[in-house]
Coordinates of all heavy atoms in Angstrom, one line a residue:
F23 N 127.8 71.9 51.3 CA 128.9 72.0 52.1 C 129.9 73.1 51.5 O 130.0 73.3 50.3 CB 129.7 70.7 52.1 CG 128.8 69.6 52.7 CD1 128.1 68.7 51.9 CD2 128.8 69.5 54.1 CE1 127.5 67.7 52.4 CE2 128.1 68.4 54.7 CZ 127.4 67.5 53.8
E24 N 130.5 73.8 52.4 CA 131.3 75.1 52.0 C 132.4 74.6 51.1 O 132.7 75.4 50.2 CB 131.9 75.7 53.3 CG 132.6 76.9 53.1 CD 131.8 78.1 52.5 OE1 130.5 78.0 52.7 OE2 132.3 79.0 51.8
L25 N 133.2 73.6 51.4 CA 134.3 73.3 50.5 C 133.8 72.9 49.1 O 134.5 73.3 48.1 CB 135.2 72.2 51.2 CG 136.4 71.8 50.4 CD1 137.4 72.9 50.2 CD2 137.1 70.5 51.1
E26 N 132.8 72.2 49.0 CA 132.3 71.9 47.6 C 132.0 73.2 46.9 O 132.3 73.2 45.7 CB 131.0 71.0 47.8 CG 130.5 70.6 46.5 CD 129.2 69.8 46.7 OE1 128.6 69.9 47.6 OE2 129.0 68.9 45.7
T27 N 131.3 74.2 47.5 CA 131.1 75.4 46.9 C 132.4 76.1 46.3 O 132.4 76.7 45.3 CB 130.3 76.4 47.8 OG1 129.2 75.7 48.3 CG2 130.0 77.7 47.1
Q28 N 133.4 76.0 47.2 CA 134.7 76.6 46.8 C 135.3 75.9 45.6 O 135.8 76.6 44.7 CB 135.7 76.7 47.9 CG 135.2 77.4 49.2 CD 135.0 79.0 48.8 OE1 135.8 79.6 48.0 NE2 133.9 79.5 49.4
L29 N 135.1 74.7 45.6 CA 135.7 73.9 44.4 C 134.9 74.2 43.2 O 135.6 74.2 42.0 CB 135.6 72.4 44.8 CG 136.7 71.8 45.7 CD1 136.5 70.4 46.0 CD2 138.1 72.0 45.2
I30 N 133.6 74.2 43.3 CA 132.9 74.6 42.0 C 133.2 75.9 41.5 O 133.4 76.1 40.4 CB 131.3 74.6 42.5 CG1 130.9 73.1 42.7 CG2 130.4 75.2 41.3 CD1 129.5 73.0 43.4
I31 N 133.5 77.0 42.4 CA 133.9 78.3 42.0 C 135.2 78.2 41.3 O 135.4 78.7 40.2 CB 134.0 79.2 43.2 CG1 132.5 79.5 43.7 CG2 134.6 80.5 42.8 CD1 132.4 80.3 45.0
V32 N 136.1 77.4 41.8 CA 137.5 77.3 41.2 C 137.4 76.7 39.9 O 137.9 77.1 38.9 CB 138.3 76.4 42.1 CG1 139.6 75.9 41.3 CG2 138.8 77.2 43.4
E33 N 136.5 75.6 39.7 CA 136.4 75.0 38.5 C 135.7 75.9 37.3 O 136.1 75.9 36.2 CB 135.6 73.6 38.6 CG 136.4 72.6 39.3 CD 135.7 71.4 39.6 OE1 134.4 71.3 39.5 OE2 136.4 70.4 40.1
E34 N 134.6 76.6 37.8 CA 133.8 77.4 36.9 C 134.7 78.6 36.4 O 134.4 79.1 35.3 CB 132.6 77.8 37.6 CG 131.6 76.8 37.6 CD 130.2 77.2 38.1 OE1 130.0 78.4 38.4 OE2 129.3 76.3 38.2
L35 N 135.6 79.1 37.3 CA 136.4 80.2 36.9 C 137.7 79.7 36.1 O 138.6 80.6 35.8 CB 136.8 81.0 38.1 CG 135.7 81.8 38.8 CD1 136.1 82.5 40.0 CD2 134.9 82.8 37.8
S36 N 137.8 78.4 36.0 CA 138.9 77.9 35.3 C 140.2 78.2 36.0 O 141.3 78.4 35.2 CB 138.9 78.2 33.8 OG 137.8 77.7 33.1
I37 N 140.3 78.4 37.2 CA 141.5 78.7 38.0 C 142.4 77.5 38.1 O 143.6 77.6 37.8 CB 141.1 79.3 39.4 CG1 140.2 80.7 39.3 CG2 142.4 79.4 40.1 CD1 139.8 81.2 40.5
D38 N 141.7 76.4 38.3 CA 142.6 75.2 38.5 C 141.7 74.0 38.2 O 140.7 73.8 39.0 CB 143.2 75.1 39.9 CG 144.0 73.9 40.0 OD1 144.4 73.3 39.0 OD2 144.5 73.6 41.1
Q39 N 142.0 73.1 37.2 CA 141.3 71.9 37.1 C 142.4 70.7 37.0 O 142.0 69.7 36.3 CB 140.5 72.0 35.7 CG 139.4 73.0 35.8 CD 138.5 73.1 34.6 OE1 138.8 72.3 33.5 NE2 137.5 73.9 34.6
G40 N 143.4 70.9 37.7 CA 144.3 69.9 37.7 C 144.0 68.6 38.5 O 143.0 68.6 39.0
P41 N 144.9 67.6 38.6 CA 144.7 66.4 39.4 C 144.5 66.7 40.8 O 143.7 65.9 41.4 CB 145.9 65.6 39.0 CG 147.0 66.6 38.6 CD 146.3 67.7 38.0
E42 N 145.1 67.7 41.4 CA 144.9 68.0 42.8 C 143.5 68.3 43.1 O 142.9 67.9 44.0 CB 145.9 69.1 43.2 CG 146.0 69.2 44.7 CD 146.6 68.1 45.5 OE1 147.4 67.3 44.8 OE2 146.2 67.8 46.6
T43 N 142.8 69.1 42.3 CA 141.5 69.5 42.5 C 140.6 68.3 42.3 O 139.6 68.1 43.2 CB 141.0 70.5 41.4 OG1 141.9 71.6 41.4 CG2 139.7 71.0 41.6
Q44 N 140.8 67.4 41.4 CA 140.0 66.2 41.3 C 140.2 65.3 42.5 O 139.2 64.7 42.9 CB 140.4 65.5 40.0 CG 140.1 66.2 38.8 CD 138.6 66.7 38.7 OE1 137.7 65.9 39.1 NE2 138.4 67.9 38.3
K45 N 141.4 65.2 43.0 CA 141.7 64.4 44.2 C 141.0 65.0 45.4 O 140.3 64.2 46.2 CB 143.2 64.4 44.5 CG 143.6 63.6 45.7 CD 145.2 63.7 45.9 CE 145.5 62.9 47.2 NZ 147.0 63.1 47.5
I46 N 140.9 66.2 45.6 CA 140.2 66.9 46.7 C 138.7 66.6 46.5 O 137.9 66.4 47.5 CB 140.4 68.5 46.7 CG1 141.9 68.7 47.1 CG2 139.5 69.2 47.7 CD1 142.4 70.2 47.0
R47 N 138.2 66.7 45.3 CA 136.8 66.5 45.0 C 136.4 65.0 45.4 O 135.3 64.8 46.1 CB 136.3 66.7 43.6 CG 134.9 66.5 43.3 CD 134.5 66.9 41.9 NE 134.3 68.3 41.7 CZ 133.4 69.1 42.1 NH1 132.5 68.6 42.8 NH2 133.4 70.4 41.9
K48 N 137.2 64.1 45.1 CA 136.9 62.7 45.4 C 136.9 62.5 46.9 O 136.0 61.8 47.4 CB 137.9 61.7 44.7 CG 137.7 61.5 43.3 CD 138.8 60.7 42.6 CE 138.6 60.6 41.2 NZ 139.6 59.8 40.6
Q49 N 137.9 63.1 47.6 CA 137.9 63.0 49.0 C 136.7 63.7 49.7 O 136.1 63.2 50.7 CB 139.2 63.5 49.6 CG 139.5 63.4 51.1 CD 139.5 62.0 51.5 OE1 140.1 61.1 50.7 NE2 138.9 61.6 52.7
L50 N 136.3 64.8 49.1 CA 135.2 65.5 49.5 C 133.9 64.7 49.6 O 133.2 64.7 50.5 CB 135.0 66.8 48.7 CG 133.8 67.7 49.1 CD1 133.9 68.3 50.6 CD2 133.7 68.9 48.1
V51 N 133.7 64.0 48.5 CA 132.6 63.0 48.3 C 132.6 62.0 49.4 O 131.5 61.8 50.0 CB 132.5 62.4 46.9 CG1 131.4 61.4 46.8 CG2 132.2 63.5 45.8
V52 N 133.7 61.4 49.7 CA 133.9 60.4 50.8 C 133.5 61.1 52.1 O 132.7 60.5 52.9 CB 135.3 59.9 50.8 CG1 135.4 59.0 52.0 CG2 135.6 59.0 49.5
E53 N 134.0 62.2 52.3 CA 133.7 63.0 53.6 C 132.3 63.2 53.8 O 131.6 63.1 54.9 CB 134.5 64.2 53.8 CG 136.1 64.0 53.8 CD 136.5 63.3 55.0 OE1 135.9 63.5 56.2 OE2 137.5 62.7 55.0
Q54 N 131.6 63.7 52.7 CA 130.2 64.1 52.7 C 129.3 62.8 53.0 O 128.4 62.9 53.8 CB 129.7 64.7 51.4 CG 130.2 66.1 51.2 CD 129.9 66.6 49.8 OE1 129.8 65.8 48.8 NE2 129.9 67.9 49.7
K55 N 129.7 61.7 52.5 CA 128.9 60.5 52.8 C 129.1 60.1 54.3 O 128.0 59.7 54.9 CB 129.5 59.3 51.9 CG 129.1 59.4 50.4 CD 129.6 58.3 49.6 CE 129.1 58.5 48.1 NZ 129.7 57.4 47.2
M56 N 130.4 60.3 54.8 CA 130.5 59.9 56.2 C 129.7 60.8 57.1 O 129.0 60.4 58.0 CB 132.0 60.0 56.5 CG 132.8 58.9 56.0 SD 134.4 58.6 56.6 CE 135.2 60.2 56.2
I57 N 129.6 62.1 56.7 CA 129.0 63.1 57.6 C 127.4 62.7 57.5 O 126.7 62.7 58.5 CB 129.1 64.5 57.2 CG1 130.6 64.8 57.5 CG2 128.2 65.5 57.8 CD1 131.1 66.2 56.9
N58 N 126.9 62.5 56.3 CA 125.5 62.2 56.2 C 125.2 60.8 56.9 O 124.0 60.7 57.5 CB 125.1 62.0 54.6 CG 125.0 63.5 54.0 OD1 124.7 64.4 54.7 ND2 125.3 63.4 52.8
T59 N 126.0 60.0 56.9 CA 125.7 58.6 57.7 C 125.6 58.9 59.1 O 124.7 58.5 59.8 CB 126.8 57.6 57.3 OG1 126.8 57.3 55.9 CG2 126.6 56.3 58.1
L60 N 126.6 59.7 59.6 CA 126.6 60.0 61.0 C 125.3 60.8 61.4 O 124.7 60.6 62.4 CB 127.8 60.9 61.3 CG 127.9 61.4 62.7 CD1 128.1 60.2 63.8 CD2 129.1 62.4 63.0
I61 N 125.0 61.7 60.5 CA 123.7 62.5 60.9 C 122.5 61.7 60.9 O 121.7 61.7 61.8 CB 123.5 63.7 59.8 CG1 124.6 64.7 60.0 CG2 122.1 64.3 60.0 CD1 124.7 65.7 58.8
N62 N 122.4 60.7 59.9 CA 121.2 59.8 59.9 C 121.2 58.8 61.2 O 120.2 58.6 61.7 CB 121.2 59.0 58.6 CG 120.9 59.8 57.4 OD1 120.2 60.9 57.5 ND2 121.4 59.5 56.3
K63 N 122.4 58.4 61.6 CA 122.4 57.5 62.7 C 122.1 58.3 64.0 O 121.4 57.7 64.9 CB 123.9 56.9 62.8 CG 124.1 55.8 61.8 CD 125.4 55.1 62.1 CE 125.7 54.0 61.1 NZ 126.9 53.4 61.3
L64 N 122.5 59.6 64.1 CA 122.2 60.3 65.3 C 120.7 60.6 65.3 O 120.1 60.5 66.4 CB 122.9 61.6 65.3 CG 124.5 61.5 65.5 CD1 125.2 62.9 65.4 CD2 124.7 60.9 66.9
K65 N 120.1 60.9 64.2 CA 118.5 61.1 64.1 C 117.9 59.8 64.5 O 116.9 60.0 65.2 CB 118.2 61.5 62.7 CG 118.5 62.9 62.4 CD 118.1 63.2 61.0 CE 118.4 64.5 60.5 NZ 118.1 64.9 59.2
A66 N 118.4 58.6 64.1 CA 117.7 57.4 64.4 C 117.8 57.1 65.9 O 116.8 56.8 66.5 CB 118.3 56.3 63.7
V67 N 118.9 57.4 66.5 CA 119.2 57.2 67.9 C 118.2 58.2 68.8 O 117.6 57.8 69.8 CB 120.6 57.3 68.4 CG1 120.8 57.4 69.9 CG2 121.5 56.1 67.8
N68 N 118.3 59.4 68.3 CA 117.5 60.4 69.0 C 115.9 60.1 68.9 O 115.3 60.5 69.9 CB 117.7 61.8 68.3 CG 117.3 62.9 69.2 OD1 117.1 62.8 70.5 ND2 116.9 64.0 68.5
S69 N 115.5 59.6 67.8 CA 114.0 59.3 67.7 C 113.6 58.1 68.5 O 112.5 58.0 68.8 CB 113.7 59.0 66.2 OG 114.3 57.9 65.7
Q70 N 114.6 57.3 68.9 CA 114.3 56.1 69.8 C 114.3 56.5 71.2 O 113.7 55.8 72.0 CB 115.2 55.0 69.5 CG 115.1 54.5 68.1 CD 116.3 53.5 67.8 OE1 117.1 53.1 68.7 NE2 116.1 52.8 66.7
Q71 N 114.8 57.5 71.7 CA 114.9 57.9 73.2 C 113.7 58.6 73.5 O 113.1 59.4 72.7 CB 116.1 58.9 73.4 CG 117.5 58.1 73.1 CD 118.6 59.1 73.3 OE1 118.5 60.3 73.5 NE2 119.8 58.6 73.4
P72 N 113.2 58.4 74.7 CA 112.0 58.9 75.2 C 112.3 60.5 75.5 O 113.4 60.8 75.7 CB 111.7 58.3 76.5 CG 112.9 57.7 76.9 CD 113.7 57.3 75.6
T73 N 111.3 61.2 75.3 CA 111.5 62.8 75.4 C 111.4 63.1 76.9 O 111.0 62.3 77.8 CB 110.4 63.5 74.7 OG1 109.1 63.2 75.3 CG2 110.4 63.3 73.2
A74 N 111.8 64.3 77.3 CA 111.9 64.7 78.6 C 110.4 64.7 79.3 O 110.2 64.5 80.4 CB 112.4 66.1 78.8
N75 N 109.4 64.9 78.5 CA 108.0 64.9 79.0 C 107.4 63.6 79.2 O 106.5 63.4 80.0 CB 107.1 65.6 78.0 CG 107.4 67.0 77.9 OD1 108.0 67.7 78.8 ND2 107.0 67.7 76.8
S76 N 108.0 62.5 78.5 CA 107.5 61.2 78.7 C 108.4 60.4 79.6 O 109.2 59.5 79.0 CB 107.3 60.5 77.4 OG 108.4 60.4 76.7
Q77 N 108.5 60.5 80.8 CA 109.3 59.8 81.7 C 108.9 58.4 81.9 O 107.8 58.2 82.3 CB 109.4 60.6 83.0 CG 110.0 61.9 82.9 CD 110.0 62.6 84.3 OE1 109.8 62.1 85.3 NE2 110.5 63.9 84.2
Q78 N 109.8 57.5 81.6 CA 109.5 56.1 81.8 C 110.1 55.6 83.1 O 111.2 56.0 83.5 CB 110.2 55.3 80.6 CG 109.6 55.6 79.3 CD 108.2 55.2 79.1 OE1 107.8 54.3 79.7 NE2 107.5 56.0 78.3
P79 N 109.3 54.8 83.9 CA 110.0 54.4 85.1 C 111.2 53.4 84.9 O 111.1 52.6 83.9 CB 108.7 53.7 85.8 CG 107.8 53.4 84.8 CD 108.0 54.4 83.7
T80 N 112.0 53.5 85.7 CA 113.2 52.5 85.5 C 113.2 51.6 86.6 O 112.4 51.7 87.5 CB 114.6 53.4 85.6 OG1 114.7 54.1 87.0 CG2 114.7 54.4 84.5
A81 N 114.1 50.5 86.6 CA 114.1 49.5 87.6 C 114.5 50.1 89.0 O 114.0 49.6 90.0 CB 115.2 48.4 87.3
N82 N 115.2 51.2 89.1 CA 115.5 51.8 90.3 C 114.6 52.8 90.8 O 114.7 53.3 92.0 CB 116.9 52.5 90.2 CG 118.0 51.5 90.0 OD1 117.9 50.3 90.3 ND2 119.1 51.9 89.2
S83 N 113.6 53.2 90.0 CA 112.6 54.3 90.5 C 111.6 53.6 91.4 O 111.3 52.5 91.4 CB 111.9 54.9 89.2 OG 111.1 53.9 88.6
Q84 N 111.2 54.5 92.4 CA 110.2 54.0 93.4 C 108.8 53.9 92.8 O 108.4 54.9 92.3 CB 110.3 54.8 94.6 CG 111.7 54.8 95.3 CD 111.7 55.6 96.6 OE1 110.7 56.3 96.9 NE2 112.7 55.5 97.3
Q85 N 108.2 52.8 93.0 CA 106.8 52.7 92.6 C 105.9 52.9 93.8 O 106.3 52.5 94.9 CB 106.6 51.2 92.0 CG 107.3 50.9 90.8 CD 107.0 51.7 89.7 OE1 105.8 52.0 89.5 NE2 107.9 52.2 88.8
P86 N 104.7 53.5 93.6 CA 103.8 53.7 94.7 C 103.4 52.4 95.3 O 103.2 51.4 94.7 CB 102.5 54.4 94.2 CG 102.9 54.7 92.8 CD 104.2 54.0 92.4
T87 N 103.3 52.3 96.7 CA 102.9 51.1 97.4 C 101.5 51.3 97.9 O 101.0 52.4 97.9 CB 104.0 50.8 98.6 OG1 103.9 51.9 99.4 CG2 105.4 50.6 98.0
A88 N 101.0 50.3 98.4 CA 99.6 50.4 99.0 C 99.5 51.3 100.2 O 98.6 52.0 100.5 CB 99.2 49.0 99.5
N89 N 100.7 51.5 100.9 CA 100.6 52.5 102.1 C 101.1 53.8 101.7 O 101.1 54.8 102.5 CB 101.7 51.9 103.1 CG 101.2 50.5 103.6 OD1 100.0 50.2 103.7 ND2 102.2 49.7 104.1
S90 N 101.5 54.1 100.5 CA 102.0 55.5 100.1 C 100.7 56.3 100.1 O 99.7 56.0 99.7 CB 102.8 55.5 98.9 OG 101.8 55.1 97.8
H91 N 101.0 57.7 100.4 CA 99.9 58.6 100.4 C 99.6 59.0 98.9 O 100.4 59.4 98.2 CB 100.3 59.8 101.2 CG 99.3 60.9 101.1 ND1 98.1 60.8 101.8 CD2 99.3 62.1 100.6 CE1 97.4 61.8 101.6 NE2 98.1 62.8 100.9
Q92 N 98.3 58.9 98.6 CA 97.7 59.4 97.3 C 97.1 60.7 97.5 O 96.3 60.7 98.6 CB 96.9 58.3 96.7 CG 97.6 57.1 96.4 CD 98.6 57.1 95.3 OE1 98.3 57.9 94.3 NE2 99.7 56.4 95.4
P93 N 97.3 61.6 96.6 CA 96.5 62.9 96.9 C 95.2 62.7 96.7 O 94.7 61.9 96.0 CB 97.1 63.8 95.8 CG 97.6 62.9 94.7 CD 98.1 61.6 95.5
S94 N 94.2 63.4 97.6 CA 92.8 63.3 97.5 C 92.3 64.1 96.4 O 92.8 65.2 96.1 CB 92.2 63.6 98.8 OG 92.5 65.0 99.2
T95 N 91.1 63.7 95.8 CA 90.5 64.6 94.8 C 89.1 64.7 95.0 O 88.5 64.0 95.8 CB 90.7 63.8 93.4 OG1 90.0 62.5 93.4 CG2 92.1 63.7 92.9
I96 N 88.4 65.6 94.3 CA 87.0 65.9 94.5 C 86.3 65.6 93.2 O 86.7 66.1 92.2 CB 86.8 67.4 95.0 CG1 87.5 67.6 96.3 CG2 85.2 67.7 95.0 CD1 87.3 69.1 96.8
N97 N 85.3 64.7 93.2 CA 84.6 64.3 92.0 C 83.6 65.3 91.6 O 83.5 66.4 92.3 CB 84.0 63.0 92.2 CG 82.9 62.9 93.2 OD1 82.4 63.9 93.6 ND2 82.6 61.6 93.7
K98 N 82.9 65.1 90.5 CA 81.9 66.0 90.1 C 80.8 66.5 91.0 O 80.2 67.5 91.0 CB 81.3 65.5 88.7 CG 82.3 65.5 87.6 CD 81.6 65.0 86.3 CE 82.5 64.9 85.2 NZ 82.0 64.3 84.0
K99 N 80.5 65.5 91.9 CA 79.4 65.7 92.9 C 79.9 66.4 94.1 O 79.2 66.7 95.0 CB 78.7 64.4 93.3 CG 78.0 63.7 92.2 CD 77.5 62.4 92.6 CE 76.7 61.7 91.5 NZ 76.0 60.5 91.9
G100 N 81.1 66.8 94.2 CA 81.8 67.5 95.3 C 82.1 66.6 96.5 O 82.5 67.1 97.6
I101 N 82.2 65.3 96.2 CA 82.6 64.4 97.2 C 84.1 64.1 97.1 O 84.6 63.8 96.1 CB 81.9 63.1 97.1 CG1 80.3 63.3 97.1 CG2 82.2 62.0 98.1 CD1 79.4 62.1 96.8
K102 N 84.7 64.2 98.3 CA 86.2 64.0 98.4 C 86.5 62.5 98.3 O 86.0 61.7 99.0 CB 86.7 64.7 99.7 CG 88.2 64.7 99.8 CD 88.6 65.4 101.0 CE 90.2 65.5 101.1 NZ 90.5 66.2 102.4
N103 N 87.4 62.2 97.4 CA 87.9 60.8 97.1 C 89.3 60.7 97.7 O 90.1 61.6 97.5 CB 88.0 60.5 95.6 CG 86.6 60.5 95.0 OD1 85.6 60.2 95.5 ND2 86.6 60.9 93.8
E104 N 89.5 59.8 98.6 CA 90.8 59.5 99.2 C 91.5 58.4 98.7 O 90.9 57.4 98.3 CB 90.7 59.7 100.7 CG 90.2 61.0 101.0 CD 90.4 61.2 102.6 OE1 91.4 60.8 103.2 OE2 89.5 61.9 103.1

């Protein structure tokens, strides 16, 4: 995370190691944990949803009926199946 990098630079250059820097570091750890938790939850939700290629029928989607037209096909012997 960018802010963490900046804090490390400040500490390594001995620019400021006061209580304010430590307070910011503690808050940063809390924020990083929250962000990681959110990312993990979003990944879990995303992995449970069907992809665009695997369309699942819903209760409102129309199912084929006995009277609905089915496309005809030709089998290996060249006979048309309807």
Side-chain angles (χ1 to χ4, degrees):
F23 298 99
E24 184 66 26
L25 182 56
E26 182 179 30
T27 303
Q28 298 299 321
L29 286 174
I30 291 169
I31 292 170
V32 165
E33 290 174 350
E34 287 185 2
L35 294 176
S36 299
I37 295 172
D38 183 14
Q39 293 183 358
E42 192 65 28
T43 305
Q44 296 306 317
K45 181 180 174 183
I46 292 171
R47 180 175 286 284
K48 287 179 184 179
Q49 186 61 37
L50 178 63
V51 170
V52 171
E53 297 291 332
Q54 287 174 333
K55 287 179 182 179
M56 289 192 299
I57 290 170
N58 286 328
T59 299
L60 176 62
I61 290 170
N62 290 333
K63 286 184 180 184
L64 290 174
K65 284 180 181 178
V67 168
N68 194 29
S69 68
Q70 293 174 356
Q71 294 178 350
T73 62
N75 294 337
S76 63
Q77 296 178 3
Q78 300 292 330
T80 61
N82 296 332
S83 65
Q84 293 183 353
Q85 298 294 324
T87 61
N89 296 332
S90 66
H91 175 69
Q92 297 294 323
S94 58
T95 59
I96 298 176
N97 65 17
K98 290 180 181 178
K99 294 181 181 179
I101 301 172
K102 187 175 181 180
N103 298 324
E104 295 192 37

